[in-house]
Amino acid sequence: DVKVTQSSRYLVKRTGEKVFLECVQDMDHENMFWYRQDPGLGLRLIYFSYDVKMKEKGDIPEGYSVSREKKERFSLILESASTNQTSMYLCASRPSDREGQPQHFGDGTRLSIL
Amino acid sequence: SQKIEQNSEALNIQEGKTATLTCNYTNYSPAYLQWYRQDPGRGPVFLLLIRENEKEKRKERLKVTFDTTLKQSLFHITASQPADSATYLCALATTGFQKLVFGTGTRLLVSP
């Protein structure tokens, strides 16, 4: 079974802090994704990565950056946390070998910015 | 503008009945559509994929239809059980890299 592990289930940070969210997958998947999920808005794509050291902006990249130095790890960085970044953050991975492969999600990090 | 719409109101049904969830989209030409289940405090879990040239897919008690003329997918759970209670998300993928665009989900409550 594919396992996607997010480093924290709950995190509380202060406005202006630099925040790191970590995600590790154990299935050698090429593609990895970061989403945030908010009530009434669903999952929105922040950034994704085709492969190691590759990254692309999603639909809402402002205020975020990412890092993918190793294939199994995809990090989301909040450069200077703000209260409107309080949300549930979900990481996902997917193989790239053929069309239609499902995304495998972690259980999320619920981040509160005070 | 592009939109994916799922009924935001919870669907309440009795055990044993068929649950039908709807996913409508506008201004997309999806290569395929996926359905996911999400339990509270957990990440979504993939259930089914249906491609643009397929009308219907089945997996055990689950059935998905895809009508590209109506721009709609229907997700059915037959003989529903309380354990089917969850939020169900539809997601479209366009051609190319196939980023997924998710609907907001519909919560299903199956009562005994």
mmCIF file of all heavy atoms in Angstrom, chain B residues 28-76:
data_model
loop_
_atom_site.group_PDB
_atom_site.id
_atom_site.type_symbol
_atom_site.label_atom_id
_atom_site.label_comp_id
_atom_site.label_asym_id
_atom_site.label_seq_id
_atom_site.Cartn_x
_atom_site.Cartn_y
_atom_site.Cartn_z
ATOM 1 N N TYR B 28 -15.155 22.947 -19.055
ATOM 2 C CA TYR B 28 -14.049 22.006 -19.023
ATOM 3 C C TYR B 28 -14.245 20.989 -20.133
ATOM 4 O O TYR B 28 -15.385 20.692 -20.513
ATOM 5 C CB TYR B 28 -14.011 21.218 -17.698
ATOM 6 C CG TYR B 28 -13.434 21.961 -16.522
ATOM 7 C CD1 TYR B 28 -14.266 22.419 -15.502
ATOM 8 C CD2 TYR B 28 -12.067 22.186 -16.418
ATOM 9 C CE1 TYR B 28 -13.745 23.083 -14.412
ATOM 10 C CE2 TYR B 28 -11.544 22.856 -15.320
ATOM 11 C CZ TYR B 28 -12.384 23.293 -14.326
ATOM 12 O OH TYR B 28 -11.874 23.948 -13.252
ATOM 13 N N SER B 29 -13.147 20.469 -20.625
ATOM 14 C CA SER B 29 -13.186 19.298 -21.507
ATOM 15 C C SER B 29 -12.338 18.228 -20.848
ATOM 16 O O SER B 29 -11.161 18.058 -21.178
ATOM 17 C CB SER B 29 -12.626 19.643 -22.898
ATOM 18 O OG SER B 29 -13.445 20.581 -23.533
ATOM 19 N N PRO B 30 -12.890 17.509 -19.897
ATOM 20 C CA PRO B 30 -12.081 16.583 -19.114
ATOM 21 C C PRO B 30 -11.653 15.356 -19.906
ATOM 22 O O PRO B 30 -12.421 14.814 -20.691
ATOM 23 C CB PRO B 30 -12.995 16.193 -17.960
ATOM 24 C CG PRO B 30 -14.375 16.446 -18.457
ATOM 25 C CD PRO B 30 -14.285 17.547 -19.445
ATOM 26 N N ALA B 31 -10.425 14.945 -19.668
ATOM 27 C CA ALA B 31 -9.939 13.685 -20.224
ATOM 28 C C ALA B 31 -10.514 12.520 -19.419
ATOM 29 O O ALA B 31 -10.777 11.451 -19.958
ATOM 30 C CB ALA B 31 -8.419 13.649 -20.185
ATOM 31 N N TYR B 32 -10.668 12.744 -18.129
ATOM 32 C CA TYR B 32 -11.295 11.748 -17.279
ATOM 33 C C TYR B 32 -11.775 12.394 -15.990
ATOM 34 O O TYR B 32 -11.467 13.568 -15.732
ATOM 35 C CB TYR B 32 -10.340 10.585 -16.974
ATOM 36 C CG TYR B 32 -9.047 10.971 -16.298
ATOM 37 C CD1 TYR B 32 -8.967 11.129 -14.914
ATOM 38 C CD2 TYR B 32 -7.890 11.148 -17.036
ATOM 39 C CE1 TYR B 32 -7.785 11.479 -14.302
ATOM 40 C CE2 TYR B 32 -6.698 11.496 -16.433
ATOM 41 C CZ TYR B 32 -6.653 11.655 -15.071
ATOM 42 O OH TYR B 32 -5.464 12.005 -14.464
ATOM 43 N N LEU B 33 -12.509 11.637 -15.230
ATOM 44 C CA LEU B 33 -13.075 12.127 -13.984
ATOM 45 C C LEU B 33 -12.842 11.036 -12.932
ATOM 46 O O LEU B 33 -12.953 9.841 -13.220
ATOM 47 C CB LEU B 33 -14.566 12.395 -14.180
ATOM 48 C CG LEU B 33 -15.350 13.096 -13.089
ATOM 49 C CD1 LEU B 33 -16.448 13.952 -13.716
ATOM 50 C CD2 LEU B 33 -15.975 12.099 -12.144
ATOM 51 N N GLN B 34 -12.496 11.474 -11.729
ATOM 52 C CA GLN B 34 -12.273 10.532 -10.632
ATOM 53 C C GLN B 34 -13.197 10.869 -9.466
ATOM 54 O O GLN B 34 -13.567 12.033 -9.274
ATOM 55 C CB GLN B 34 -10.815 10.594 -10.155
ATOM 56 C CG GLN B 34 -9.813 10.155 -11.205
ATOM 57 C CD GLN B 34 -8.375 10.242 -10.702
ATOM 58 O OE1 GLN B 34 -8.081 10.952 -9.745
ATOM 59 N NE2 GLN B 34 -7.469 9.524 -11.355
ATOM 60 N N TRP B 35 -13.538 9.847 -8.702
ATOM 61 C CA TRP B 35 -14.305 10.039 -7.470
ATOM 62 C C TRP B 35 -13.455 9.570 -6.293
ATOM 63 O O TRP B 35 -12.788 8.518 -6.365
ATOM 64 C CB TRP B 35 -15.614 9.257 -7.520
ATOM 65 C CG TRP B 35 -16.653 9.926 -8.359
ATOM 66 C CD1 TRP B 35 -16.853 9.802 -9.707
ATOM 67 C CD2 TRP B 35 -17.656 10.843 -7.901
ATOM 68 N NE1 TRP B 35 -17.907 10.573 -10.119
ATOM 69 C CE2 TRP B 35 -18.418 11.227 -9.027
ATOM 70 C CE3 TRP B 35 -17.996 11.384 -6.657
ATOM 71 C CZ2 TRP B 35 -19.492 12.125 -8.947
ATOM 72 C CZ3 TRP B 35 -19.061 12.263 -6.567
ATOM 73 C CH2 TRP B 35 -19.794 12.631 -7.705
ATOM 74 N N TYR B 36 -13.509 10.367 -5.226
ATOM 75 C CA TYR B 36 -12.764 10.077 -4.002
ATOM 76 C C TYR B 36 -13.726 10.103 -2.820
ATOM 77 O O TYR B 36 -14.732 10.812 -2.837
ATOM 78 C CB TYR B 36 -11.686 11.150 -3.763
ATOM 79 C CG TYR B 36 -10.507 11.087 -4.701
ATOM 80 C CD1 TYR B 36 -10.589 11.590 -5.995
ATOM 81 C CD2 TYR B 36 -9.295 10.527 -4.289
ATOM 82 C CE1 TYR B 36 -9.510 11.528 -6.859
ATOM 83 C CE2 TYR B 36 -8.207 10.474 -5.146
ATOM 84 C CZ TYR B 36 -8.320 10.979 -6.431
ATOM 85 O OH TYR B 36 -7.244 10.913 -7.277
ATOM 86 N N ARG B 37 -13.347 9.365 -1.793
ATOM 87 C CA ARG B 37 -14.078 9.397 -0.524
ATOM 88 C C ARG B 37 -13.185 10.038 0.520
ATOM 89 O O ARG B 37 -11.973 9.755 0.569
ATOM 90 C CB ARG B 37 -14.416 7.960 -0.111
ATOM 91 C CG ARG B 37 -14.935 7.857 1.302
ATOM 92 C CD ARG B 37 -15.115 6.440 1.745
ATOM 93 N NE ARG B 37 -15.417 6.403 3.171
ATOM 94 C CZ ARG B 37 -16.335 5.631 3.719
ATOM 95 N NH1 ARG B 37 -17.040 4.782 2.974
ATOM 96 N NH2 ARG B 37 -16.554 5.671 5.015
ATOM 97 N N GLN B 38 -13.776 10.890 1.361
ATOM 98 C CA GLN B 38 -13.005 11.507 2.429
ATOM 99 C C GLN B 38 -13.762 11.376 3.749
ATOM 100 O O GLN B 38 -14.908 11.820 3.871
ATOM 101 C CB GLN B 38 -12.720 12.982 2.135
ATOM 102 C CG GLN B 38 -11.793 13.631 3.156
ATOM 103 C CD GLN B 38 -11.382 15.045 2.794
ATOM 104 O OE1 GLN B 38 -12.069 15.723 2.031
ATOM 105 N NE2 GLN B 38 -10.252 15.503 3.313
ATOM 106 N N ASP B 39 -13.098 10.777 4.725
ATOM 107 C CA ASP B 39 -13.643 10.670 6.079
ATOM 108 C C ASP B 39 -13.115 11.831 6.919
ATOM 109 O O ASP B 39 -12.034 12.372 6.621
ATOM 110 C CB ASP B 39 -13.248 9.329 6.695
ATOM 111 C CG ASP B 39 -13.941 8.172 6.004
ATOM 112 O OD1 ASP B 39 -15.162 8.050 6.197
ATOM 113 O OD2 ASP B 39 -13.286 7.432 5.248
ATOM 114 N N PRO B 40 -13.844 12.215 7.973
ATOM 115 C CA PRO B 40 -13.413 13.367 8.787
ATOM 116 C C PRO B 40 -11.989 13.189 9.313
ATOM 117 O O PRO B 40 -11.638 12.125 9.821
ATOM 118 C CB PRO B 40 -14.433 13.377 9.931
ATOM 119 C CG PRO B 40 -15.641 12.722 9.365
ATOM 120 C CD PRO B 40 -15.139 11.671 8.417
ATOM 121 N N GLY B 41 -11.178 14.208 9.146
ATOM 122 C CA GLY B 41 -9.812 14.178 9.656
ATOM 123 C C GLY B 41 -8.859 13.311 8.847
ATOM 124 O O GLY B 41 -7.722 13.076 9.277
ATOM 125 N N ARG B 42 -9.294 12.845 7.681
ATOM 126 C CA ARG B 42 -8.444 12.006 6.845
ATOM 127 C C ARG B 42 -8.302 12.609 5.460
ATOM 128 O O ARG B 42 -9.082 13.461 5.030
ATOM 129 C CB ARG B 42 -9.038 10.588 6.709
ATOM 130 C CG ARG B 42 -9.368 9.891 8.019
ATOM 131 C CD ARG B 42 -8.159 9.657 8.880
ATOM 132 N NE ARG B 42 -7.157 8.810 8.268
ATOM 133 C CZ ARG B 42 -7.134 7.490 8.368
ATOM 134 N NH1 ARG B 42 -8.085 6.843 9.002
ATOM 135 N NH2 ARG B 42 -6.158 6.800 7.796
ATOM 136 N N GLY B 43 -7.307 12.142 4.719
ATOM 137 C CA GLY B 43 -7.166 12.571 3.333
ATOM 138 C C GLY B 43 -8.118 11.805 2.429
ATOM 139 O O GLY B 43 -8.610 10.731 2.786
ATOM 140 N N PRO B 44 -8.403 12.349 1.237
ATOM 141 C CA PRO B 44 -9.270 11.637 0.286
ATOM 142 C C PRO B 44 -8.650 10.314 -0.147
ATOM 143 O O PRO B 44 -7.429 10.179 -0.231
ATOM 144 C CB PRO B 44 -9.359 12.611 -0.898
ATOM 145 C CG PRO B 44 -9.021 13.955 -0.337
ATOM 146 C CD PRO B 44 -8.020 13.685 0.744
ATOM 147 N N VAL B 45 -9.529 9.355 -0.431
ATOM 148 C CA VAL B 45 -9.113 8.040 -0.914
ATOM 149 C C VAL B 45 -9.787 7.781 -2.255
ATOM 150 O O VAL B 45 -11.005 7.943 -2.379
ATOM 151 C CB VAL B 45 -9.502 6.940 0.096
ATOM 152 C CG1 VAL B 45 -9.188 5.558 -0.469
ATOM 153 C CG2 VAL B 45 -8.772 7.147 1.418
ATOM 154 N N PHE B 46 -9.013 7.391 -3.238
ATOM 155 C CA PHE B 46 -9.510 7.156 -4.595
ATOM 156 C C PHE B 46 -10.487 5.986 -4.620
ATOM 157 O O PHE B 46 -10.269 4.937 -3.989
ATOM 158 C CB PHE B 46 -8.325 6.850 -5.515
ATOM 159 C CG PHE B 46 -8.724 6.389 -6.889
ATOM 160 C CD1 PHE B 46 -9.174 7.296 -7.831
ATOM 161 C CD2 PHE B 46 -8.635 5.050 -7.231
ATOM 162 C CE1 PHE B 46 -9.531 6.872 -9.102
ATOM 163 C CE2 PHE B 46 -8.993 4.622 -8.496
ATOM 164 C CZ PHE B 46 -9.444 5.531 -9.432
ATOM 165 N N LEU B 47 -11.588 6.186 -5.398
ATOM 166 C CA LEU B 47 -12.581 5.126 -5.557
ATOM 167 C C LEU B 47 -12.662 4.623 -6.998
ATOM 168 O O LEU B 47 -12.538 3.428 -7.259
ATOM 169 C CB LEU B 47 -13.957 5.638 -5.123
ATOM 170 C CG LEU B 47 -14.116 6.006 -3.649
ATOM 171 C CD1 LEU B 47 -15.479 6.642 -3.406
ATOM 172 C CD2 LEU B 47 -13.925 4.791 -2.753
ATOM 173 N N LEU B 48 -12.926 5.533 -7.928
ATOM 174 C CA LEU B 48 -13.196 5.123 -9.309
ATOM 175 C C LEU B 48 -12.707 6.169 -10.289
ATOM 176 O O LEU B 48 -12.717 7.364 -9.993
ATOM 177 C CB LEU B 48 -14.707 4.950 -9.534
ATOM 178 C CG LEU B 48 -15.368 3.646 -9.108
ATOM 179 C CD1 LEU B 48 -16.878 3.766 -9.196
ATOM 180 C CD2 LEU B 48 -14.879 2.483 -9.952
ATOM 181 N N LEU B 49 -12.343 5.695 -11.467
ATOM 182 C CA LEU B 49 -11.973 6.560 -12.589
ATOM 183 C C LEU B 49 -12.901 6.250 -13.750
ATOM 184 O O LEU B 49 -13.200 5.081 -14.020
ATOM 185 C CB LEU B 49 -10.532 6.264 -12.999
ATOM 186 C CG LEU B 49 -10.100 6.634 -14.419
ATOM 187 C CD1 LEU B 49 -9.875 8.130 -14.524
ATOM 188 C CD2 LEU B 49 -8.840 5.888 -14.820
ATOM 189 N N ILE B 50 -13.355 7.294 -14.455
ATOM 190 C CA ILE B 50 -14.108 7.085 -15.691
ATOM 191 C C ILE B 50 -13.555 8.038 -16.743
ATOM 192 O O ILE B 50 -13.323 9.212 -16.474
ATOM 193 C CB ILE B 50 -15.630 7.249 -15.468
ATOM 194 C CG1 ILE B 50 -16.402 6.847 -16.729
ATOM 195 C CG2 ILE B 50 -15.994 8.661 -15.020
ATOM 196 C CD1 ILE B 50 -17.879 6.592 -16.479
ATOM 197 N N ARG B 51 -13.322 7.508 -17.931
ATOM 198 C CA ARG B 51 -12.708 8.310 -18.991
ATOM 199 C C ARG B 51 -13.777 8.954 -19.864
ATOM 200 O O ARG B 51 -14.929 8.531 -19.864
ATOM 201 C CB ARG B 51 -11.793 7.433 -19.848
ATOM 202 C CG ARG B 51 -10.679 6.813 -19.048
ATOM 203 C CD ARG B 51 -9.712 6.007 -19.883
ATOM 204 N NE ARG B 51 -8.763 5.284 -19.051
ATOM 205 C CZ ARG B 51 -7.684 5.821 -18.519
ATOM 206 N NH1 ARG B 51 -7.415 7.091 -18.731
ATOM 207 N NH2 ARG B 51 -6.866 5.100 -17.769
ATOM 208 N N GLU B 52 -13.369 9.910 -20.675
ATOM 209 C CA GLU B 52 -14.320 10.698 -21.470
ATOM 210 C C GLU B 52 -15.079 9.845 -22.470
ATOM 211 O O GLU B 52 -16.194 10.183 -22.857
ATOM 212 C CB GLU B 52 -13.598 11.835 -22.191
ATOM 213 C CG GLU B 52 -12.507 11.382 -23.131
ATOM 214 C CD GLU B 52 -11.846 12.530 -23.856
ATOM 215 O OE1 GLU B 52 -12.483 13.580 -24.037
ATOM 216 O OE2 GLU B 52 -10.677 12.370 -24.251
ATOM 217 N N ASN B 53 -14.490 8.722 -22.905
ATOM 218 C CA ASN B 53 -15.161 7.884 -23.898
ATOM 219 C C ASN B 53 -15.926 6.710 -23.260
ATOM 220 O O ASN B 53 -16.392 5.816 -23.959
ATOM 221 C CB ASN B 53 -14.141 7.349 -24.905
ATOM 222 C CG ASN B 53 -13.048 6.532 -24.231
ATOM 223 O OD1 ASN B 53 -12.953 6.510 -23.011
ATOM 224 N ND2 ASN B 53 -12.232 5.872 -25.031
ATOM 225 N N GLU B 54 -16.053 6.750 -21.935
ATOM 226 C CA GLU B 54 -16.790 5.699 -21.232
ATOM 227 C C GLU B 54 -18.087 6.266 -20.689
ATOM 228 O O GLU B 54 -18.129 7.399 -20.213
ATOM 229 C CB GLU B 54 -15.951 5.142 -20.072
ATOM 230 C CG GLU B 54 -14.679 4.452 -20.552
ATOM 231 C CD GLU B 54 -13.777 4.041 -19.395
ATOM 232 O OE1 GLU B 54 -13.669 4.823 -18.424
ATOM 233 O OE2 GLU B 54 -13.190 2.946 -19.466
ATOM 234 N N LYS B 55 -19.134 5.471 -20.743
ATOM 235 C CA LYS B 55 -20.442 5.934 -20.247
ATOM 236 C C LYS B 55 -20.643 5.529 -18.796
ATOM 237 O O LYS B 55 -21.322 6.216 -18.032
ATOM 238 C CB LYS B 55 -21.559 5.327 -21.097
ATOM 239 C CG LYS B 55 -21.551 5.787 -22.525
ATOM 240 C CD LYS B 55 -22.318 7.078 -22.660
ATOM 241 C CE LYS B 55 -22.510 7.417 -24.111
ATOM 242 N NZ LYS B 55 -22.062 8.759 -24.401
ATOM 243 N N GLU B 56 -20.102 4.381 -18.424
ATOM 244 C CA GLU B 56 -20.407 3.825 -17.104
ATOM 245 C C GLU B 56 -19.244 2.956 -16.628
ATOM 246 O O GLU B 56 -18.592 2.288 -17.434
ATOM 247 C CB GLU B 56 -21.673 2.970 -17.221
ATOM 248 C CG GLU B 56 -22.165 2.357 -15.939
ATOM 249 C CD GLU B 56 -23.428 1.555 -16.165
ATOM 250 O OE1 GLU B 56 -24.450 2.145 -16.575
ATOM 251 O OE2 GLU B 56 -23.400 0.326 -15.921
ATOM 252 N N LYS B 57 -18.996 2.982 -15.326
ATOM 253 C CA LYS B 57 -18.009 2.109 -14.704
ATOM 254 C C LYS B 57 -18.610 1.568 -13.415
ATOM 255 O O LYS B 57 -19.304 2.291 -12.692
ATOM 256 C CB LYS B 57 -16.736 2.896 -14.331
ATOM 257 C CG LYS B 57 -15.687 2.999 -15.404
ATOM 258 C CD LYS B 57 -15.036 1.716 -15.661
ATOM 259 C CE LYS B 57 -13.612 1.616 -16.036
ATOM 260 N NZ LYS B 57 -12.735 2.677 -15.733
ATOM 261 N N ARG B 58 -18.275 0.313 -13.094
ATOM 262 C CA ARG B 58 -18.782 -0.288 -11.858
ATOM 263 C C ARG B 58 -17.636 -0.902 -11.061
ATOM 264 O O ARG B 58 -16.668 -1.401 -11.634
ATOM 265 C CB ARG B 58 -19.788 -1.385 -12.183
ATOM 266 C CG ARG B 58 -21.096 -0.905 -12.758
ATOM 267 C CD ARG B 58 -21.973 -2.085 -13.153
ATOM 268 N NE ARG B 58 -23.190 -1.624 -13.817
ATOM 269 C CZ ARG B 58 -24.361 -1.481 -13.213
ATOM 270 N NH1 ARG B 58 -24.497 -1.784 -11.927
ATOM 271 N NH2 ARG B 58 -25.412 -1.054 -13.877
ATOM 272 N N LYS B 59 -17.818 -0.872 -9.754
ATOM 273 C CA LYS B 59 -16.873 -1.538 -8.857
ATOM 274 C C LYS B 59 -17.657 -1.930 -7.617
ATOM 275 O O LYS B 59 -18.042 -1.092 -6.812
ATOM 276 C CB LYS B 59 -15.721 -0.613 -8.494
ATOM 277 C CG LYS B 59 -14.699 -1.229 -7.557
ATOM 278 C CD LYS B 59 -13.629 -0.202 -7.197
ATOM 279 C CE LYS B 59 -12.682 -0.736 -6.159
ATOM 280 N NZ LYS B 59 -11.691 0.280 -5.757
ATOM 281 N N GLU B 60 -17.940 -3.206 -7.519
ATOM 282 C CA GLU B 60 -18.710 -3.727 -6.381
ATOM 283 C C GLU B 60 -20.036 -2.970 -6.263
ATOM 284 O O GLU B 60 -20.831 -2.981 -7.201
ATOM 285 C CB GLU B 60 -17.860 -3.651 -5.107
ATOM 286 C CG GLU B 60 -16.624 -4.538 -5.209
ATOM 287 C CD GLU B 60 -15.651 -4.321 -4.063
ATOM 288 O OE1 GLU B 60 -15.858 -3.409 -3.237
ATOM 289 O OE2 GLU B 60 -14.674 -5.066 -4.002
ATOM 290 N N ARG B 61 -20.296 -2.276 -5.169
ATOM 291 C CA ARG B 61 -21.588 -1.574 -5.023
ATOM 292 C C ARG B 61 -21.559 -0.165 -5.612
ATOM 293 O O ARG B 61 -22.554 0.565 -5.512
ATOM 294 C CB ARG B 61 -21.948 -1.493 -3.536
ATOM 295 C CG ARG B 61 -22.251 -2.837 -2.895
ATOM 296 C CD ARG B 61 -22.716 -2.681 -1.443
ATOM 297 N NE ARG B 61 -21.685 -2.104 -0.587
ATOM 298 C CZ ARG B 61 -21.762 -0.897 -0.032
ATOM 299 N NH1 ARG B 61 -22.819 -0.118 -0.241
ATOM 300 N NH2 ARG B 61 -20.787 -0.471 0.746
ATOM 301 N N LEU B 62 -20.473 0.217 -6.224
ATOM 302 C CA LEU B 62 -20.325 1.567 -6.750
ATOM 303 C C LEU B 62 -20.532 1.577 -8.259
ATOM 304 O O LEU B 62 -20.122 0.643 -8.958
ATOM 305 C CB LEU B 62 -18.931 2.118 -6.444
ATOM 306 C CG LEU B 62 -18.456 2.061 -5.005
ATOM 307 C CD1 LEU B 62 -17.059 2.662 -4.890
ATOM 308 C CD2 LEU B 62 -19.425 2.774 -4.085
ATOM 309 N N LYS B 63 -21.180 2.638 -8.738
ATOM 310 C CA LYS B 63 -21.345 2.824 -10.176
ATOM 311 C C LYS B 63 -21.183 4.299 -10.495
ATOM 312 O O LYS B 63 -21.724 5.157 -9.781
ATOM 313 C CB LYS B 63 -22.729 2.357 -10.638
ATOM 314 C CG LYS B 63 -22.923 2.453 -12.157
ATOM 315 C CD LYS B 63 -24.290 1.940 -12.591
ATOM 316 C CE LYS B 63 -25.336 3.024 -12.555
ATOM 317 N NZ LYS B 63 -26.612 2.594 -13.184
ATOM 318 N N VAL B 64 -20.436 4.586 -11.539
ATOM 319 C CA VAL B 64 -20.250 5.967 -11.981
ATOM 320 C C VAL B 64 -20.685 6.068 -13.432
ATOM 321 O O VAL B 64 -20.379 5.197 -14.242
ATOM 322 C CB VAL B 64 -18.766 6.401 -11.867
ATOM 323 C CG1 VAL B 64 -18.568 7.774 -12.486
ATOM 324 C CG2 VAL B 64 -18.332 6.420 -10.431
ATOM 325 N N THR B 65 -21.408 7.148 -13.754
ATOM 326 C CA THR B 65 -21.739 7.441 -15.146
ATOM 327 C C THR B 65 -21.123 8.781 -15.524
ATOM 328 O O THR B 65 -20.847 9.618 -14.657
ATOM 329 C CB THR B 65 -23.261 7.482 -15.360
ATOM 330 O OG1 THR B 65 -23.805 8.538 -14.571
ATOM 331 C CG2 THR B 65 -23.902 6.157 -15.002
ATOM 332 N N PHE B 66 -20.919 8.965 -16.808
ATOM 333 C CA PHE B 66 -20.256 10.171 -17.305
ATOM 334 C C PHE B 66 -20.945 10.579 -18.594
ATOM 335 O O PHE B 66 -20.934 9.824 -19.574
ATOM 336 C CB PHE B 66 -18.784 9.853 -17.556
ATOM 337 C CG PHE B 66 -17.879 11.043 -17.720
ATOM 338 C CD1 PHE B 66 -18.289 12.333 -17.454
ATOM 339 C CD2 PHE B 66 -16.564 10.859 -18.131
ATOM 340 C CE1 PHE B 66 -17.445 13.413 -17.591
ATOM 341 C CE2 PHE B 66 -15.697 11.936 -18.264
ATOM 342 C CZ PHE B 66 -16.133 13.214 -17.997
ATOM 343 N N ASP B 67 -21.583 11.724 -18.584
ATOM 344 C CA ASP B 67 -22.289 12.225 -19.759
ATOM 345 C C ASP B 67 -21.623 13.535 -20.173
ATOM 346 O O ASP B 67 -21.850 14.576 -19.558
ATOM 347 C CB ASP B 67 -23.767 12.447 -19.429
ATOM 348 C CG ASP B 67 -24.600 12.772 -20.658
ATOM 349 O OD1 ASP B 67 -24.077 13.427 -21.590
ATOM 350 O OD2 ASP B 67 -25.770 12.388 -20.684
ATOM 351 N N THR B 68 -20.797 13.473 -21.219
ATOM 352 C CA THR B 68 -20.049 14.665 -21.631
ATOM 353 C C THR B 68 -20.947 15.676 -22.359
ATOM 354 O O THR B 68 -20.557 16.835 -22.490
ATOM 355 C CB THR B 68 -18.859 14.297 -22.529
ATOM 356 O OG1 THR B 68 -19.340 13.504 -23.622
ATOM 357 C CG2 THR B 68 -17.820 13.503 -21.763
ATOM 358 N N THR B 69 -22.129 15.240 -22.796
ATOM 359 C CA THR B 69 -23.075 16.180 -23.409
ATOM 360 C C THR B 69 -23.749 17.016 -22.329
ATOM 361 O O THR B 69 -23.827 18.236 -22.430
ATOM 362 C CB THR B 69 -24.129 15.423 -24.228
ATOM 363 O OG1 THR B 69 -23.467 14.636 -25.217
ATOM 364 C CG2 THR B 69 -25.096 16.386 -24.897
ATOM 365 N N LEU B 70 -24.206 16.338 -21.276
ATOM 366 C CA LEU B 70 -24.812 17.041 -20.144
ATOM 367 C C LEU B 70 -23.765 17.667 -19.237
ATOM 368 O O LEU B 70 -24.102 18.463 -18.358
ATOM 369 C CB LEU B 70 -25.655 16.073 -19.307
ATOM 370 C CG LEU B 70 -26.952 15.574 -19.920
ATOM 371 C CD1 LEU B 70 -27.642 14.604 -18.965
ATOM 372 C CD2 LEU B 70 -27.886 16.740 -20.237
ATOM 373 N N LYS B 71 -22.498 17.295 -19.418
ATOM 374 C CA LYS B 71 -21.400 17.741 -18.544
ATOM 375 C C LYS B 71 -21.708 17.361 -17.094
ATOM 376 O O LYS B 71 -21.696 18.200 -16.173
ATOM 377 C CB LYS B 71 -21.160 19.239 -18.698
ATOM 378 C CG LYS B 71 -20.724 19.633 -20.107
ATOM 379 C CD LYS B 71 -20.321 21.087 -20.172
ATOM 380 C CE LYS B 71 -19.979 21.520 -21.575
ATOM 381 N NZ LYS B 71 -18.860 20.782 -22.164
ATOM 382 N N GLN B 72 -21.945 16.060 -16.927
ATOM 383 C CA GLN B 72 -22.363 15.594 -15.611
ATOM 384 C C GLN B 72 -21.856 14.175 -15.364
ATOM 385 O O GLN B 72 -21.831 13.340 -16.276
ATOM 386 C CB GLN B 72 -23.895 15.595 -15.540
ATOM 387 C CG GLN B 72 -24.471 15.145 -14.216
ATOM 388 C CD GLN B 72 -25.982 15.156 -14.249
ATOM 389 O OE1 GLN B 72 -26.630 14.272 -14.792
ATOM 390 N NE2 GLN B 72 -26.566 16.184 -13.655
ATOM 391 N N SER B 73 -21.493 13.922 -14.103
ATOM 392 C CA SER B 73 -21.204 12.567 -13.660
ATOM 393 C C SER B 73 -22.109 12.257 -12.477
ATOM 394 O O SER B 73 -22.324 13.108 -11.605
ATOM 395 C CB SER B 73 -19.739 12.431 -13.250
ATOM 396 O OG SER B 73 -19.480 11.145 -12.718
ATOM 397 N N LEU B 74 -22.635 11.036 -12.463
ATOM 398 C CA LEU B 74 -23.428 10.574 -11.332
ATOM 399 C C LEU B 74 -22.683 9.431 -10.656
ATOM 400 O O LEU B 74 -22.109 8.564 -11.325
ATOM 401 C CB LEU B 74 -24.801 10.084 -11.790
ATOM 402 C CG LEU B 74 -25.699 11.123 -12.457
ATOM 403 C CD1 LEU B 74 -27.019 10.476 -12.897
ATOM 404 C CD2 LEU B 74 -25.972 12.299 -11.541
ATOM 405 N N PHE B 75 -22.706 9.442 -9.337
ATOM 406 C CA PHE B 75 -22.024 8.427 -8.528
ATOM 407 C C PHE B 75 -23.094 7.738 -7.685
ATOM 408 O O PHE B 75 -23.808 8.393 -6.929
ATOM 409 C CB PHE B 75 -20.984 9.113 -7.648
ATOM 410 C CG PHE B 75 -20.254 8.218 -6.709
ATOM 411 C CD1 PHE B 75 -19.192 7.448 -7.157
ATOM 412 C CD2 PHE B 75 -20.598 8.146 -5.366
ATOM 413 C CE1 PHE B 75 -18.499 6.625 -6.289
ATOM 414 C CE2 PHE B 75 -19.909 7.333 -4.498
ATOM 415 C CZ PHE B 75 -18.856 6.566 -4.957
ATOM 416 N N HIS B 76 -23.209 6.414 -7.852
ATOM 417 C CA HIS B 76 -24.246 5.654 -7.164
ATOM 418 C C HIS B 76 -23.602 4.668 -6.199
ATOM 419 O O HIS B 76 -22.618 4.001 -6.549
ATOM 420 C CB HIS B 76 -25.087 4.859 -8.163
ATOM 421 C CG HIS B 76 -25.666 5.670 -9.273
ATOM 422 N ND1 HIS B 76 -26.887 6.305 -9.184
ATOM 423 C CD2 HIS B 76 -25.187 5.950 -10.518
ATOM 424 C CE1 HIS B 76 -27.142 6.935 -10.312
ATOM 425 N NE2 HIS B 76 -26.126 6.738 -11.147
#
